[in-house]
Amino acid sequence: MTTAIAPDMSAVALRYSTPIGGVAGTSFKPEHLQAILGAGRQRGFFEVHAENYMGAGGPPHRALEAIRRDHPLSLHGVCMSICGPQPLDKTHLARFRELVARYQPALVSEHLAWSTHETSFFNDLLPLPYTEATLACVCDHIDQVQDAIRRPLLLENPSTYVAFRESSMRETDFIRTVAERTGCGLLLDVNNVFVSAANHGFAPLDYLADFPLSRVGEIHLAGHAEQADDEGDLLLIDSHDGPVADAVWKLYEIVIRRSGPVPTLIEWDSNIPDWPVLKAEADAAQAILDRCGPATLTGDRHAA
């Protein structure tokens, strides 16, 4: 049985279908629902993984509707497999489209990654070589998604642990070209930049200097874990299971000084803390947005 949208949802959707400005938000976790509702309307926004709400109704939708009545929403897809060589899953895309129509989120995003192969589904966001062939495939898939949802998609830069000899262009060039060809926006995950830089031995500031900040519509911040690879060298994992690292906060402040205020999301997906701990991370991001946002914008920001 299909659950209808709550009668007052259309009016709420209209209120938050436009950009939300330079505010900080958090991942929405059901265990935080009562604490959030008890605090009343807040300045920030909440982000959910689309795949957790692809059923027709039930407790997940009731909780999300309660959050959505007072707060802007960001819908973040994790399983579209935009970078896979096979056609997009039509059923998955239809469900994604229905979620966008139902909740009219302020922000809609997906990953520069793939996670399916034929009938296999992987519980990870896998990298791809940056070539003309993969560029054409990614652009085609993004065009399909944007045609379906009738709005621009934000594409997130990946955290990576391997590189491909076949790559013929830098990641920043690949991402820039995708955005130019499709008209999509970008989601800049600063923690992903830090993780990839450590794993591949490049300078995160060099990456950010070459990243098309003018197209960034959302920023992600998260915690990461330290491990060792097979040779005993440091390996960072984009784990989302702890607070944002000091080095990532420093990079984030540099980005905001260059770009101006951009909606910023704290991701925390495992070892979930109590709500005040997660809220404090968002408050720290908001303080940077408020302090650095009015700074003079760089030429890159004006080059959209």
Side-chain angles (χ1 to χ4, degrees), residues 6-18:
D8 61 344
M9 283 297 291
S10 59
V12 176
L14 289 174
R15 187 165 71 226
Y16 290 129
S17 61
T18 55

Side-chain angles (χ1 to χ4, degrees), residues 8 20 24 31-32 48 60 67 83 91 121-122 131 134 153 180 226 251 254 271 276:
D8 61 344
I20 57 178
E31 51 263 58
H32 295 152
V48 296
I67 290 294
C83 299
T91 300
F121 297 82
F122 304 102
T131 67
T134 58
L153 182 75
E180 290 172 349
E226 294 186 0
L251 288 176
I254 290 170
N271 295 329

Side-chain angles (χ1 to χ4, degrees), residues 32-42 67 70-71 275:
H32 295 152
L33 177 63
Q34 294 308 315
I36 293 168
L37 296 180
R41 184 177 299 175
Q42 301 171 43
I67 290 294
D70 286 330
H71 301 93
W275 170 243

Side-chain angles (χ1 to χ4, degrees), residues 34 47 50 66 72-73 85 106 113 136 138 167 239 246 296:
Q34 294 308 315
E47 183 168 281
L73 185 68
V138 169
S167 291
S239 55
D246 289 345
T296 301

Side-chain angles (χ1 to χ4, degrees), residues 50-61:
E51 287 73 13
N52 291 335
Y53 298 89
M54 286 188 171
H61 281 286

Side-chain angles (χ1 to χ4, degrees), residues 120-174:
S120 298
F121 297 82
F122 304 102
N123 188 29
D124 208 341
L125 296 166
L126 302 170
L128 74 161
Y130 299 128
T131 67
E132 290 295 335
T134 58
L135 178 65
C137 181
V138 169
C139 289
D140 179 60
H141 286 169
I142 290 176
D143 285 341
Q144 291 179 45
V145 175
Q146 293 185 143
D147 286 346
I149 66 176
R150 298 183 178 182
R151 59 188 290 173
L153 182 75
L154 301 180
L155 185 67
E156 179 179 345
N157 59 292
S159 59
T160 57
Y161 312 95
V162 297
F164 294 87
R165 294 188 184 94
E166 296 88 345
S167 291
S168 58
M169 62 187 79
R170 294 177 299 181
E171 182 173 287
T172 49
D173 291 334
F174 188 94

